[in-house]
Amino acid sequence: MKQAIKRGVLAAGTSALVLTAMAVPQTGFAATKAKAKSAHTSSTSKVARTSATTAAPAPVRHVAPAALTSHRTEEVGVVGHPYRAQTVTVGAAQLQRAIPGTNPMKVLGNMPGVMFQSNDPQGLDTWSAQIMMHGFQQQEIGMTLDGIPLGEMTYRNYNGTNPIQAISSENVGSMDVSRSAGAETVAATNNLGGSIEYVSSDPKDKMGGQIGQSFGSNQNFHTFIRFDSGKLNESGTKFYVSYMRNDSQLWKGYGDQFLQQVNAKFVQPVGERSKISMFFNWSDLHQITYDDYSFEMMDKIGTRQGFYYNGQLSGYQTAYKAALATQGLPGGSYPSYMSGLSDKSDAAYYSGATNNVDLLGGLKADLQMNDHIKWTTTVYGHNQQNQTTWVTPYFGSPNGSPMSNLVKEPEIRRFGILSAMHYNIKHNEFGLGVWYENNHYQSPMNAYEEPALVNGVLSSPLVYDLNHFSNPFTQIFNQTYNTNTFTAFVNDTFHPVRNLDLHFGFKSVLNTTRVGNGYLNQDYYGNPGPITSGVGLTVAKPFLPHIGIAYRFLPGHEIFIDISENVHVYPQSGYKLSTSPFSVLQSAFDSTHVRPETAWTYAIGYRFNNRMISASVYAYRTNFNNRLQQITSGSVINPVSAVANVGGVTMNGVDAGLTIRPIRGLELYNSVSYDHATYDQDVSSGGETYAIKGQQVVNYPRFMYKARLSYTYHNATAWIDGSYMSARNFSYMGDYKAPGYWLSNLGAEYKLGNMGQYIHGAGFVQNLVFGFTVANLTNQTYISTMGEGGNPIGGASAYSYQSFLIGAPRQYFGSVRAEF
């Protein structure tokens, strides 16, 4: 029964139901990674976790006014600034306060109502990085870069890429965060919980560049170099090209996490008010991942254990013996430190890794046709080749080794076009636009040999390079998806008076997916039947409304109301890896009738801003309907999975933020967030009902508090921040929770300005800045990301269920950057 529980199989009469969300941060890692162990074994499969978290709008910005902008139209005569009363902007200056190379979404985690978790201080581990806004998981938040859709931010994306693989953090000019699902202009089909729109910085008018180098704990090295051409001719032609490299060792276990990236942007002005621009990105990511943890592991072996992989033969020998023990073969044994664990087989594997190569490019035309009409069109293309790996002790190699390396090797090839027109006349701002994308997604998983040990001697060389695999000995499963997406929006913002905006718009969505080339290895899965293939589904939502009111009264005061509906089209993934209705057996697909997830969000907000005070309050209610969930039941030997509509989630919440600036240079920020998001129905499976109705959604806290104190004196700045996160439900029944915790960080920065003032002949060096940061100042031990491998329903089995990660201990970083 341990194996049934560990791998997420719900056998009749047990409480081992596991719910896996649509590839959450990797939800759904459940099958994409080493931790997803269960989804790959021949006799069991991980029950997909629900998209259980609920919807809500995005929060109000807490930073100083210089870094905060509200996207609303101030003047009727300005074309091309759509209504975004519920949207706030985080600028480049705020992003630069973070550790160099930090995931920009970690900066968003300082906002009220936003939770960002990662087990590394830069937030770059794609297996661990997890963002939630008002209870919605990241795969339910729309994300774009310069309007180009980035798809669902999952560990193994099927229709886009992780934003850190799309643009270097230093090239992010700003981030627009929507507070509700109503941003009908955003090119997304998953923005139930709002949107995050990345905007790349433009090349500078003057020739020059930037260079930055940082050093930190665990041999962290981050390098960024950028060259700006400046204006090359009288028409204003200009470009930049940059290279970024981030390399760091794991803070526990062995291995490194590496990311290198090239960005380039070209801008050609056309007349005085139009331009054509091109953006290009190449990224190359290789990461050894951290092993998942359970409450039992924390209690019995501490928090510093990792994979067996150590870059030496001894690590392989330990993993080899453990695999023999897992299969009950002679010579098998587990390390002594695992003696007290109930599930020794899954407490560690030999290794797990992630390899991604992305090519992303777009051509955009911003054309001001006349004083009243602006037309914007973008064409783009994207290719991603991915490998997510884990060495399984459950499936041996043909050469006699008890282990094999399971490698999911999906590839994305997509292209699309966006076009929108804005027309301003008198008191109205009209907008209309379309988006079309074709996405070809292939989702195979293959098995590769691991060397056998014969009398202690390797049968073949041990390959320590985990970045490339070739010549699999068998295929485990495969599907090929082809998806066509078409959306259109129409809106109007009416200004009866200068300080009042009345907005009405709607979005139409048509999404069709067909799946083919289905293959399921019957030897590996125990002959359950064919995988879904040769079928398709269509989501058609012709009318998704968005209604908004924004009223600015008295100096600095604003109030707004926002009401919207949105939809999440069906995801795609490999067998049993998500809540995709295609990720099951053909028989389960034929007998299941599903509807796409939808959400209504109602929000009201108030903000005030002047020189000394910035204050905001934001209240919301969300009704999340048709929540899809993959449920597995039947025998352990031949489980049966299906995707079902298991009800909804109701959320009510409020955020409040206050920033005070009593004297020049001193700033104190405080915010509180309260989110009451509960499941509307119980869950039934295998003839048993599980009482989750009324429980807080998993992985997201009910209460958060955040504070920051900073002081700037001349060229020196120092700051300290702190945050409190209340307990989070790990199990759906709420009987296992991650404890609440405090976390704090400390930093300082000094600007030398023009080096020519200090060193003769060095006047070309400008804005020289030295920085120092201490992350996790008090060395707090805490649970960071949760649910990356699914969440258990509850009961005794939840104690040993491995699906959370430990946050990094105290880390130190120093940096220097300059412009020239």
Side-chain angles (χ1 to χ4, degrees):
M1 181 57 66
K2 292 179 188 176
Q3 297 307 319
I5 291 172
K6 186 61 206 149
R7 281 167 261 171
V9 174
L10 176 64
T14 75
S15 61
L17 178 65
V18 179
L19 310 175
T20 301
M22 300 183 297
V24 58
Q26 291 177 122
T27 309
F29 205 5
T32 59
K33 158 182 192 240
K35 320 337 168 96
K37 42 216 170 206
S38 28
H40 310 304
T41 60
S42 57
S43 63
T44 62
S45 81
K46 184 172 288 267
V47 174
R49 157 181 170 216
T50 182
S51 137
T53 48
T54 315
V60 177
R61 186 58 182 150
H62 67 269
V63 300
L68 170 61
T69 321
S70 174
H71 269 281
R72 61 181 184 270
T73 302
E74 297 289 356
E75 298 184 17
V76 176
V78 178
V79 178
H81 294 77
Y83 170 86
R84 297 285 183 84
Q86 81 283 8
T87 301
V88 292
T89 296
V90 177
Q94 191 68 12
L95 298 173
Q96 288 178 358
R97 294 184 184 180
I99 299 167
T102 292
N103 187 335
M105 283 186 286
K106 184 168 185 176
V107 178
L108 298 185
N110 296 324
M111 300 167 65
V114 179
M115 182 196 77
F116 181 86
Q117 294 284 0
S118 181
N119 60 1
D120 70 298
Q122 291 176 292
L124 298 181
D125 184 342
T126 57
W127 165 230
S128 173
Q130 179 185 52
I131 189 169
M132 298 178 70
M133 297 200 308
H134 289 176
F136 270 116
Q137 302 172 100
Q138 58 207 30
Q139 71 271 18
E140 296 153 348
I141 300 170
M143 298 189 187
T144 65
L145 169 61
D146 292 342
I148 299 172
L150 298 180
E152 297 192 7
M153 200 196 99
T154 62
Y155 173 67
R156 195 178 62 146
N157 199 309
Y158 67 87
N159 65 349
T161 189
N162 192 303
I164 68 166
Q165 296 163 229
I167 185 171
S168 300
S169 59
E170 288 91 344
N171 291 329
V172 176
S174 63
M175 302 173 70
D176 298 337
V177 183
S178 174
R179 301 191 186 182
S180 72
E184 71 273 16
T185 58
V186 176
T189 55
N190 65 319
N191 54 329
L192 296 177
S195 60
I196 301 173
E197 300 172 74
Y198 288 71
V199 179
S200 65
S201 61
D202 278 343
K204 295 183 178 180
D205 292 339
K206 183 179 179 181
M207 179 183 292
Q210 304 173 47
I211 186 168
Q213 180 66 58
S214 66
F215 312 87
S217 299
N218 305 304
Q219 301 178 45
N220 177 275
F221 294 93
H222 176 84
T223 304
F224 177 77
I225 302 172
R226 169 169 154 167
F227 170 74
D228 285 80
S229 69
K231 291 184 177 181
L232 298 175
N233 50 42
E234 292 184 359
S235 68
T237 305
K238 55 185 178 179
F239 71 88
Y240 72 73
V241 61
S242 70
Y243 174 76
M244 184 277 292
R245 183 182 186 274
N246 197 95
D247 195 3
S248 181
Q249 297 296 304
L250 301 181
W251 62 266
K252 69 170 182 174
Y254 179 85
D256 69 343
Q257 297 196 320
F258 175 82
L259 172 63
Q260 62 178 342
Q261 197 163 36
V262 173
N263 288 162
K265 188 172 184 179
F266 171 87
V267 174
Q268 175 60 63
V270 179
E272 295 183 357
R273 296 185 294 175
S274 300
K275 66 179 180 179
I276 296 174
S277 60
M278 290 187 291
F279 179 82
F280 170 80
N281 169 77
W282 171 81
S283 67
D284 179 37
L285 179 145
H286 304 281
Q287 295 180 338
I288 304 297
T289 52
Y290 293 88
D291 201 8
D292 286 340
Y293 251 65
S294 67
F295 288 105
E296 181 185 43
M297 292 173 67
M298 288 186 67
D299 290 343
K300 296 180 179 179
I301 65 174
T303 60
R304 305 288 298 204
Q305 294 300 321
F307 289 125
Y308 296 128
Y309 175 64
N310 63 1
Q312 301 177 13
L313 179 60
S314 60
Y316 189 76
Q317 292 171 330
T318 302
Y320 200 92
K321 292 179 181 179
L324 292 173
T326 295
Q327 299 180 29
L329 298 175
S333 63
Y334 295 103
S336 58
Y337 67 82
M338 290 188 180
S339 59
L341 297 179
S342 60
D343 184 6
K344 302 178 184 64
S345 299
D346 292 313
Y349 303 115
Y350 177 56
S351 68
T354 302
N355 306 305
N356 276 332
V357 176
D358 278 271
L359 288 171
L360 175 68
L363 173 65
K364 183 176 184 179
D366 286 298
L367 304 178
Q368 189 77 46
M369 310 301 291
N370 55 41
D371 289 342
H372 300 282
I373 299 176
K374 183 177 182 179
W375 182 23
T376 302
T377 298
T378 302
V379 294
Y380 64 91
H382 174 223
N383 174 256
Q384 181 186 87
Q385 298 184 26
N386 177 289
Q387 291 180 328
T388 55
T389 82
W390 72 287
V391 178
T392 171
Y394 297 103
F395 190 63
S397 299
N399 60 9
S401 171
M403 299 185 294
S404 64
N405 203 324
L406 297 186
V407 184
K408 300 169 201 70
E409 302 183 81
E411 181 177 6
I412 298 169
R413 295 197 303 270
R414 64 188 180 111
F415 67 88
I417 182 171
L418 307 100
S419 189
M421 183 172 291
H422 298 274
Y423 176 54
N424 290 5
I425 185 171
K426 294 185 179 179
H427 298 287
N428 291 276
E429 296 181 67
F430 297 101
L432 59 90
V434 295
W435 166 44
Y436 169 76
E437 179 180 277
N438 175 263
N439 179 36
H440 181 83
Y441 173 65
Q442 188 172 359
S443 178
M445 183 169 78
N446 299 312
Y448 295 81
E449 281 193 347
E450 288 291 316
L453 279 171
V454 181
N455 297 323
V457 179
L458 289 169
S459 62
S460 60
L462 185 61
V463 178
Y464 293 115
D465 182 6
L466 305 179
N467 295 338
H468 181 70
F469 298 87
S470 60
N471 302 320
F473 67 82
T474 190
Q475 187 166 86
I476 306 301
F477 63 70
N478 183 51
Q479 286 177 312
T480 300
Y481 294 85
N482 191 73
T483 301
N484 288 286
T485 299
F486 177 81
T487 71
F489 74 86
V490 177
N491 59 33
D492 176 38
T493 302
F494 175 56
H495 309 277
V497 293
R498 180 181 176 85
N499 60 341
L500 178 63
D501 304 334
L502 303 177
H503 178 84
F504 175 77
F506 70 91
K507 180 168 71 173
S508 299
V509 174
L510 179 63
N511 175 274
T512 299
T513 296
R514 288 196 62 81
V515 60
N517 298 326
Y519 171 75
L520 202 64
N521 189 314
Q522 302 297 310
D523 293 334
Y524 183 84
Y525 283 107
N527 196 26
I531 194 174
T532 300
S533 186
V535 297
L537 288 174
T538 296
V539 174
K541 288 289 184 180
F543 187 72
L544 298 168
H546 176 206
I547 302 169
I549 302 173
Y551 178 52
R552 296 170 294 283
F553 62 99
L554 303 178
H557 295 265
E558 180 183 17
I559 189 171
F560 66 87
I561 297 172
D562 205 67
I563 302 172
S564 56
E565 182 188 19
N566 223 315
V567 66
H568 187 183
V569 302
Y570 303 122
Q572 299 122 50
S573 71
Y575 185 48
K576 298 182 181 180
L577 301 191
S578 76
T579 56
S580 169
F582 304 106
S583 63
V584 295
L585 297 176
Q586 184 71 58
S587 57
F589 179 89
D590 294 339
S591 62
T592 301
H593 299 283
V594 295
R595 299 172 61 190
E597 297 171 326
T598 59
W600 276 95
T601 298
Y602 313 87
I604 182 170
Y606 163 80
R607 63 168 71 97
F608 170 74
N609 186 57
N610 67 13
R611 185 184 64 81
M612 296 184 63
I613 297 175
S614 296
S616 64
V617 179
Y618 186 75
Y620 56 90
R621 176 184 175 86
T622 297
N623 297 110
F624 179 20
N625 302 309
N626 303 319
R627 183 168 58 91
L628 295 182
Q629 180 172 296
Q630 189 180 93
I631 299 178
T632 298
S633 60
S635 69
V636 173
I637 301 300
N638 189 17
V640 178
S641 295
V643 173
N645 182 337
V646 295
V649 180
T650 299
M651 176 188 303
N652 296 284
V654 62
D655 299 331
L658 176 65
T659 300
I660 58 174
R661 295 170 288 276
I663 60 174
R664 182 182 179 88
L666 180 64
E667 180 177 292
L668 174 63
Y669 161 73
N670 288 271
S671 76
V672 293
S673 303
Y674 176 79
D675 178 89
H676 186 270
T678 58
Y679 301 110
D680 295 340
Q681 291 87 16
D682 294 333
V683 172
S684 297
S685 178
E688 187 167 350
T689 298
Y690 300 91
I692 70 170
K693 181 179 180 180
Q695 285 292 332
Q696 178 80 3
V697 297
V698 293
N699 306 328
Y700 190 75
R702 184 158 287 182
F703 176 78
M704 289 186 289
Y705 169 76
K706 301 169 185 178
R708 179 185 176 98
L709 176 65
S710 66
Y711 181 64
T712 299
Y713 181 75
H714 295 297
N715 294 335
T717 299
W719 55 268
I720 185 171
D721 65 32
S723 62
Y724 173 75
M725 183 172 298
S726 68
R728 294 166 286 161
N729 277 355
F730 176 64
S731 64
Y732 282 86
M733 295 174 65
D735 50 350
Y736 281 87
K737 301 177 184 291
Y741 66 90
W742 281 92
L743 200 64
S744 58
N745 306 283
L746 176 71
E749 185 177 270
Y750 187 78
K751 300 179 181 179
L752 283 180
N754 189 331
M755 282 296 295
Q757 301 175 27
Y758 308 97
I759 303 175
H760 179 70
F764 68 95
V765 179
Q766 302 173 5
N767 298 323
L768 184 64
V769 180
F770 293 92
F772 178 73
T773 304
V774 184
N776 191 359
L777 180 64
T778 59
N779 204 27
Q780 175 75 41
T781 299
Y782 65 100
I783 294 173
S784 59
T785 313
M786 295 202 309
E788 70 283 357
N791 290 75
I793 192 69
S797 63
Y799 179 62
S800 60
Y801 188 75
Q802 293 169 231
S803 191
F804 60 75
L805 295 164
I806 307 300
R810 182 166 48 232
Q811 308 272 280
Y812 301 91
F813 296 87
S815 65
V816 58
R817 68 178 187 268
E819 297 179 1
F820 56 87

